[in-house]
Structure formats: structure tokens, C-alpha cells
Amino acid sequence: MFKKMRRKLTVFYALIMAVFFIGLVFGMYKTMQWSITSEQEREVLLFAEEEANEHVFLFNHMTSFEAEQQNYQEGSGRMYVYAFDMEGNLRNASRPSPQLEAIVLDKIAQWDTPDGQVIGISEAAHFKWIYNVMMTAKPIMENGKQIGVVYVGRDVTAVYNGLHKATLVLVLIAVFALLAAVFIGYLMAGKAIVPLKNAYEQQRQFAADASHELRTPLSIVLSAIEILEEEPEIKTPFIFEILNDMKDEVLKMTNLVGGLLVLVRSEQPGQKIIKETFNLTLAVEQILRKIQPLAKKKEIHIDFINKPIVELHAESEKIKQLLLILLDNAIKYTPDQGRVEVKLQKNLETNAVKIFVADTGVGIDAANLQQIFERFYRVDKVRSRVCGGSGLGLSIAREIVNIHNGTIHVDSIIGKGSTFIVELPGF
């Protein structure tokens, strides 16, 4: 139990730290991206302003683009420029890298961005290489009249590649930090549950001691009541009624003490069970015969459907106790003239065995399904007092299933009934 608690605490702590590191890395990435983008946009806008001013002079002194063709062919910097006159003729250019030029010219041909606004372009080109480009357009003005437009841009591929590499390093650092945090969290969880474990051990020991100590006086009281019931001098019906009430309460107390003792013993570390191969079908029929008087009293029909010969490798007495608990629970919470069904199912490949106990009782709300196996938990406390029981039955059933490395769960619909499903491993 404490190992499971330690694992849950560690997982919870790991989830919190994972969310923290993811948020940290994402926040740092977005911050660096914003910083780099804003700085690159500022440089592109300044460059566009300079080029627009310079091209006023170039447009007036340059007769044709062919005169500057040599410059166009040799340009290869990170910054590039394309200048067009109002008729759409290319008047000057400083080209980007050859692989990038097709992307840039295609974007210029479809340009619809307002002047002075920087846009980012991210496209795959040569060998799936991702190019990142920032571009803007600026009108070339002379004496208040537009004489052309200049398109400028900057190849920021290397900058963004550096950003991605830095982010990858951050992710790797975060992963190692998370692993270290989980390891430390596991150690801290182990230390945190030590006081709880000590307190639980003391409580368990107290329950065991109290159960042992109470069994003897309860047996004596029960024996005394039975002797008084046979005493010929006691003839008053009122006295007999009192003795019967006392006997019922003593029996309830005895069952409660016995249940506590079973739970305490099942939780002892290293508990071993004595497994044997037995006929589970015969065991079910035996328990059904024992429970029949209780079912007959409420006119409840018990049907053992699908009776295959199923053999199980387990501790037979504990499995019988499990069956008795589930059937007793089904009958108690099924109205008069209801129905209870028992079914066995075996997986031929894994030899795993499933036990189904279904009833047409009041059902259990979905909010309570996870709690019904807790000690002393009762969904309807008023009805539980009327039906009797100590509230330990399903807790004992779960412990029996756990020590056999099996599973138990319940499917239920309010007003229609419940089905308890036990799965036990094969051999």
C-alpha cells in the first residue's frame, strides 16, 4: 500500500514538474523568438528606408538595369534589394542566394502587403531546407511623387536555425532536470510517508491486538446468553426478547472483530497464501447452498448460469469467503422477489478466470463506485443499518483479490442493479 502511495506521490510530483518545465521552455522559446523577430524587423525597416532614399538618386542617374547587371549577378549577401519603377520595370537589384531567389521573386510577383509592414516567409526549397525570410516594401518618393517601389529583405535562416538549436538544448536540459527532479521527488516521497507508515503500523497493531483481546470476552458473553436462553426458570417473553437482541448485537460485534482481524492479517508484509487447484464450480454451488436460506427469506431467485467446469489455482477457503461476501452483499441490497445471477468465465489462452455476480438491486451511483471498497464505507447508511453488516465485507473481498494478484470492479446502474466482476490469474 505504501509503495503504491509513494509511486502516486512521485507521479504527481513528476507531472507538476513536467508542466513547469514545459511552460518554462515554451516561455523562453517564445521570448527569444519575439526578441529576435522584433530586432530583425527593425533592421529590415531601417534598411528599406535607406534603400528608398538611395534609389531616388539611382533612378535619376541610371539609364537602364542592364548597366548594373554585373552588380545584380554578383550580389550574395544576407540582405537583398529589388527596385521597380512605376511601369513595373526592374531598375536595380542586389540578389539573394540562388536557392532563395525563386522564393523571393515569387513573393514579389504576388505582393499584397501594405507598405512599411514586415512579413515573414518560411518555405522549403533545396533538399527540404527551410528558408526563413523577412521582407518589406517601401515606396520611392521624389518631391512628394512616387517614382517606384523598393523590395528589401533579409535571410534570417541562420538566426532561426540557431534559435531552434538553442531550444533543443533547452529541451534536453529540461528533460535531464525533470529526471533528476523525479528521482529527488521519489526519495522525498519515501521520507514523507515514513511517519504515516509508522502511524499506520501502530494502528494496524492496535486493531490486531484489540481484535484478539475482544474475541475471548465476546465468546464468553455469547456462551452466557445461550446458557440463559436454555435456563428453564426464565419464562418471561420480554426476557427472551432482550436475550435475542443481545445475542444479535454480540454476533454483529463478533463478525466485525473477525473482519478486522482478516484485514489486519491480509496487510501484513510478506503474507503467503497456500494455493491449491480446486473445482471453482463446485465451490460456487457450495456457497449457493449456504446462502440459500437468506435468499429464500427475501424470495430472491439465485441463478447459476453458464456452469462450465472451471478449475482455479488459489487458496480455496479465501475464494469461498470472497464468493460468500459478494453473494451476501447482492442479496442484502436486492429488494424482495429480486434476482441474483452468478457466472463463471475462463480464458483458454491465459487460464484467467472471471467471476460475475449480478443483482437487480438498488444500484450504486457512479460517484461512489471508487469508494465502496473502502473500510466502513456505506453508500446508504440508513439502508445499511437495516440490512445489517459491518461495512468491511467489500474491503475484505478486495484484499482477497489483491493477495491473489487479481482485480475487482463493479458496473452499476441506479435502479437496475450492480455487477461485481472478479478476475483471477491463471496457473
Side-chain angles (χ1 to χ4, degrees):
M1 180 179 71
F2 287 101
K3 289 183 179 179
K4 186 182 293 185
M5 183 185 298
R6 186 177 186 180
R7 286 195 298 268
K8 286 183 177 180
L9 287 173
T10 304
V11 170
F12 180 71
Y13 177 74
L15 289 175
I16 292 176
M17 295 304 297
V19 171
F20 170 75
F21 282 121
I22 290 173
L24 180 64
V25 172
F26 181 77
M28 293 182 67
Y29 172 77
K30 285 297 181 182
T31 300
M32 290 188 296
Q33 186 184 49
W34 170 81
S35 178
I36 291 172
T37 301
S38 60
E39 185 63 24
Q40 295 298 319
E41 287 180 352
R42 187 183 67 83
E43 290 188 9
V44 169
L45 288 172
L46 289 175
F47 183 61
E49 186 72 27
E50 293 174 359
E51 290 296 324
N53 294 331
E54 289 179 6
H55 277 80
V56 174
F57 174 80
L58 291 176
F59 271 31
N60 291 326
H61 294 83
M62 192 167 58
T63 56
S64 66
F65 176 61
E66 286 75 14
E68 300 294 329
Q69 184 74 7
Q70 188 67 23
N71 291 335
Y72 175 73
Q73 293 175 346
E74 293 178 356
S76 60
R78 294 291 181 186
M79 304 294 286
Y80 56 88
V81 182
Y82 291 89
F84 295 86
D85 58 23
M86 296 306 295
E87 286 74 31
N89 299 315
L90 181 62
R91 298 290 300 277
N92 187 35
S94 177
R95 66 185 294 183
S97 59
Q99 297 87 353
L100 186 58
E101 185 175 23
I103 298 173
V104 173
L105 292 176
D106 182 64
K107 186 63 181 176
I108 291 175
Q110 305 175 24
W111 192 267
D112 57 356
T113 305
D115 295 337
Q117 180 177 330
V118 179
I119 62 170
I121 306 170
S122 180
E123 291 192 24
H126 187 61
F127 296 113
K128 297 184 179 180
W129 180 269
I130 302 297
Y131 285 98
N132 291 281
V133 179
M134 285 187 176
M135 288 185 63
T136 190
K138 186 76 175 177
I140 302 172
M141 308 295 294
E142 183 180 23
N143 299 324
K145 180 182 178 181
Q146 183 174 352
I147 61 173
V149 61
V150 64
Y151 297 91
V152 302
R154 182 181 181 91
D155 180 5
V156 293
T157 303
V159 176
Y160 278 93
N161 285 343
L163 173 62
H164 295 154
K165 290 178 181 179
T167 304
L168 179 60
V169 172
L170 282 175
V171 170
L172 293 176
I173 292 174
V175 169
F176 284 113
L178 178 61
L179 293 176
V182 170
F183 177 72
I184 295 172
Y186 182 76
L187 296 179
M188 292 175 62
K191 292 183 178 180
I193 64 175
V194 168
L196 294 175
K197 187 175 182 180
N198 292 336
Y200 179 79
E201 287 298 325
Q202 292 176 0
Q203 182 185 26
R204 188 187 63 80
Q205 190 59 46
F206 170 77
D209 294 342
S211 299
H212 279 294
E213 294 298 326
L214 286 172
R215 292 182 73 181
T216 300
L218 285 173
S219 298
I220 293 173
V221 172
L222 183 61
S223 299
I225 292 172
E226 291 175 346
I227 291 172
L228 288 174
E229 286 180 331
E230 297 176 0
E231 182 62 39
E233 295 181 2
I234 298 178
K235 300 179 181 180
T236 308
F238 178 70
I239 300 298
F240 275 110
E241 186 176 343
I242 292 176
L243 290 174
N244 284 331
D245 291 342
M246 291 174 61
K247 187 175 182 180
D248 287 341
E249 294 302 320
V250 171
L251 288 173
K252 287 180 182 178
M253 192 67 179
T254 302
N255 290 333
L256 175 60
V257 169
L260 283 172
L261 197 57
V262 169
L263 287 175
V264 169
R265 287 173 176 171
S266 66
E267 291 173 351
Q268 289 179 348
Q271 184 197 16
K272 294 182 179 180
I273 55 176
I274 303 174
K275 291 186 177 182
E276 58 180 332
T277 302
F278 65 97
N279 192 319
L280 181 60
T281 306
L282 295 180
V284 172
E285 291 176 343
Q286 180 184 353
I287 298 302
L288 290 178
R289 286 194 296 271
K290 287 185 177 180
I291 206 76
Q292 190 61 42
L294 180 61
K296 188 175 182 180
K297 186 177 179 180
K298 297 182 66 176
E299 299 183 8
I300 293 175
H301 178 71
I302 302 179
D303 191 10
F304 185 14
I305 61 176
N306 186 21
K307 296 183 181 180
I309 299 177
V310 176
E311 290 191 339
L312 181 65
H313 190 67
E315 186 168 330
S316 59
E317 291 305 315
K318 289 191 179 297
I319 299 301
K320 289 178 182 178
Q321 184 181 10
L322 168 67
L323 292 168
L324 187 61
I325 290 171
L326 296 179
L327 285 166
D328 179 70
N329 187 76
I331 292 171
K332 281 180 179 178
Y333 292 98
T334 297
D336 294 355
Q337 300 179 350
R339 185 182 184 88
V340 173
E341 290 185 350
V342 183
K343 183 174 71 173
L344 300 180
Q345 189 179 86
K346 186 168 185 177
N347 189 317
L348 297 179
E349 294 182 359
T350 63
N351 286 325
V353 175
K354 281 188 176 181
I355 304 171
F356 299 84
V357 178
D359 61 61
T360 57
V362 295
I364 305 168
D365 189 82
N368 298 312
L369 289 179
Q370 299 299 323
Q371 299 172 292
I372 60 171
F373 295 101
E374 301 297 327
R375 299 179 187 181
F376 303 109
Y377 182 81
R378 299 180 180 186
V379 177
D380 187 345
K381 295 179 173 56
V382 175
R383 185 176 180 88
S384 295
R385 283 195 293 269
V386 174
C387 296
S390 61
L392 292 175
L394 291 179
S395 297
I396 296 173
R398 182 179 62 179
E399 291 300 328
I400 292 173
V401 172
N402 287 343
I403 62 177
H404 284 86
N405 297 319
T407 60
I408 181 171
H409 70 276
V410 58
D411 296 330
S412 185
I413 301 175
I414 293 293
K416 292 188 177 181
S418 305
T419 301
F420 284 83
I421 304 169
V422 177
E423 184 171 2
L424 299 170
F427 57 94

